[in-house]
Amino acid sequence: MFKGAGTALATPFTSTGELDLAVFEQLIEQQLAANIQALVVGGTTGEGSTLTNEEFETLLETAVRVTAGRVPVIAGTGTNNTAQTIEKTQTAARLGADAAMLVTPYYNKTSQAGLVAHFTAVADAVDLPIMLYNVPSRTGVAISVETAVTLAKHPNIQAFKEASGDVSFMGELMTALPDGFAVFCGNDDQILPYMAWGAQGVISVLSNPYPAETQALAEALLANDYDTARRIQSDLMPVISALFSDVNPIPVKAALEEIGIAVGAPRLPLVRQSEAGHAHLLETMRSYKGVVG
């Protein structure tokens, strides 16, 4: 699918709440100029759960057009409704997405057998590479190692984004999955340990404001240059902590605004960062590289 750093793109909104496609194109070009290796549209960071179907399609069409094949475009098409997920993933394929990322169905609290049935139904219905997305802190349900191994046998299920935060689980997963099955880190503070276990990259929030730094970290790990990787990851840790000091994507949208990419406020029910949180974010960004101010 790709190796290195991919970015879970934030979605820009105008002051009146509509999509800001000019800023979205600016963000994409900034990412490509920094050598980011893939782009995710409509994921958690992209506020996919608050986008209408029409808005999702407009964003995906824009990303496919602007990237023009330079990097893969991955569409966040997972929902907690299997039929809707199939329809959304088929739409993504029709619009030119290179892959679809499917989060575990939230709220329903299905079983492992239900997860196998859900993901298999989507994979059977769409001829598009599928990435499973395990983020139990968001969805309330986790994919087990056994379920991941079962699903990895499906020819269309080709990757796993692991964001449980459990390094031991990551080790068990990498030991059990077949060679060549792609695994990506989903937590910016764990890029080093996850890639040391064999993940071939990261799908990052951090890379929205810091694409070059995130890609440099991934490249160092792919080259087994752990001294460089430790330095980059250590230097970035305070920034990562600040970017996750509130619910994603609240801080990262604030960070993007500070570096001149006017992505606007998050949509309700999320709200802008508090004054205290924003001050801490700015101080941390200034301390890291003096990017701001």
Side-chain angles (χ1 to χ4, degrees):
M1 200 169 280
F2 72 96
K3 290 186 177 181
T7 296
L9 292 169
T11 296
F13 299 120
T14 66
S15 59
T16 53
E18 290 84 25
L19 295 180
D20 193 330
L21 295 179
V23 175
F24 190 55
E25 293 188 19
Q26 177 193 3
L27 176 60
I28 290 172
E29 290 293 359
Q30 173 241 23
Q31 296 289 313
L32 296 176
N35 200 28
I36 281 294
Q37 298 297 299
L39 299 173
V40 176
V41 176
T44 307
T45 307
E47 301 177 75
S49 61
T50 68
L51 298 173
T52 67
N53 288 339
E54 181 180 9
E55 288 173 332
F56 169 75
E57 292 172 21
T58 298
L59 286 171
L60 184 55
E61 286 175 325
T62 301
V64 170
R65 173 178 55 79
V66 174
T67 57
R70 287 179 283 178
V71 299
V73 175
I74 302 169
T77 60
T79 77
N80 67 337
N81 177 313
T82 304
Q84 288 180 3
T85 302
I86 289 172
E87 183 178 354
K88 193 171 182 179
T89 308
Q90 289 173 331
T91 298
R94 176 174 56 79
L95 296 178
D98 297 287
M101 185 176 72
L102 304 185
V103 71
T104 50
Y106 37 86
Y107 190 74
N108 316 63
K109 301 189 75 171
T110 188
S111 63
Q112 294 298 310
L115 289 176
V116 171
H118 170 80
F119 288 124
T120 300
V122 182
D124 283 345
V126 184
D127 188 17
L128 193 68
I130 287 173
M131 176 187 296
L132 308 178
Y133 180 14
N134 188 45
V135 58
S137 64
R138 285 268 187 180
T139 65
V141 60
I143 302 174
S144 72
V145 171
E146 293 75 16
T147 295
V149 170
T150 297
L151 290 167
K153 296 174 184 175
H154 196 292
N156 286 343
I157 298 176
Q158 300 180 9
F160 192 105
K161 178 184 175 185
E162 160 47 21
S164 72
D166 185 343
V167 177
S168 296
F169 173 80
M170 178 64 176
E172 295 171 11
L173 187 69
M174 294 303 298
T175 302
L177 285 172
D179 291 343
F181 190 85
V183 177
F184 295 92
C185 175
N187 290 326
D188 287 313
D189 60 340
Q190 295 179 315
I191 299 172
L192 194 158
Y194 272 38
M195 290 190 69
W197 265 113
Q200 64 184 51
V202 56
I203 295 180
S204 174
V205 176
L206 167 73
S207 57
N208 278 277
Y210 295 104
E213 292 84 349
T214 310
Q215 174 60 13
L217 172 56
E219 285 179 352
L221 287 161
L222 289 170
N224 295 320
D225 181 357
Y226 286 95
D227 287 340
T228 299
R230 275 190 291 270
R231 176 182 57 76
I232 298 173
Q233 178 89 73
S234 295
D235 288 349
L236 284 168
M237 288 304 280
V239 177
I240 295 168
S241 178
L243 288 175
F244 289 91
S245 60
D246 203 336
V247 175
N248 181 44
I250 293 172
V252 76
K253 295 195 87 169
L256 283 167
E257 293 237 314
E258 293 299 335
I259 63 170
I261 302 178
V263 290
R267 273 185 173 167
L268 290 172
L270 299 183
V271 296
R272 284 188 184 274
Q273 197 172 29
S274 68
E275 287 188 16
H278 191 64
H280 173 65
L281 175 65
L282 287 184
E283 180 182 358
T284 306
M285 292 174 73
R286 290 188 177 115
S287 297
Y288 172 60
K289 269 197 168 180
V291 174
V292 182

